[in-house]
Amino acid sequence: MTLGNLFWLFVAGFAIWYWWKAKDIKDFVLQAAHRYCKTMDVLLLDDAVYLRGLWFKRDRHGKLRVWRRFLFDFTTTGEERYTGRIIMLGRHIEHMELEPHRF
């Protein structure tokens, strides 16, 4: 086995590991969005969250963490579609909010 083959094997392994971890985080955020929508008395649409931002930021202890912004759609009446946001820093949800909407 050559060094080039080992490199590509490492790259493929890293890509699979990253995909697996990203899926785990997305499932966690989806469950959090379900709970948040239920407490706010709105309906989560499409049963999905969408990653719309990825960056590196420091937490309050100074450690470098991955910052993620997820969006999701919700409705109150079934006619209009609004956007909600979830901000994560590392494995912790930092902020959740709903766009202003009608009841």
Side-chain angles (χ1 to χ4, degrees):
M1 186 168 274
T2 67
L3 190 58
N5 289 344
L6 285 174
F7 172 77
W8 288 113
L9 186 62
F10 174 76
V11 169
F14 180 77
I16 291 169
W17 173 82
Y18 179 79
W19 175 80
W20 192 270
K21 289 304 235 179
K23 184 181 177 330
D24 184 43
I25 289 171
K26 191 172 181 179
D27 290 342
F28 174 75
V29 171
L30 181 60
Q31 290 174 359
H34 272 290
R35 288 190 305 270
Y36 188 65
C37 285
K38 188 174 183 179
T39 61
M40 299 304 285
D41 200 27
V42 298
L43 179 64
L44 179 67
L45 295 175
D46 305 328
D47 199 35
V49 293
Y50 310 98
L51 179 65
R52 288 294 178 247
L54 184 69
W55 199 247
F56 294 100
K57 290 191 176 183
R58 296 197 181 272
D59 64 9
R60 63 187 126 175
H61 304 294
K63 292 186 178 180
L64 194 61
R65 303 283 184 195
V66 178
W67 177 90
R68 295 174 180 91
R69 179 172 48 116
F70 289 91
L71 301 180
F72 60 91
D73 294 329
F74 70 95
T75 186
T76 56
T77 63
E79 295 177 8
E80 290 116 0
R81 184 179 282 258
Y82 301 99
T83 302
R85 291 167 197 78
I86 297 176
I87 304 295
M88 287 191 68
L89 188 58
R91 290 279 300 171
H92 303 290
I93 294 176
E94 294 286 309
H95 183 72
M96 297 174 87
E97 69 180 6
L98 300 178
E99 189 174 74
H101 57 279
R102 285 194 255 183
F103 283 102

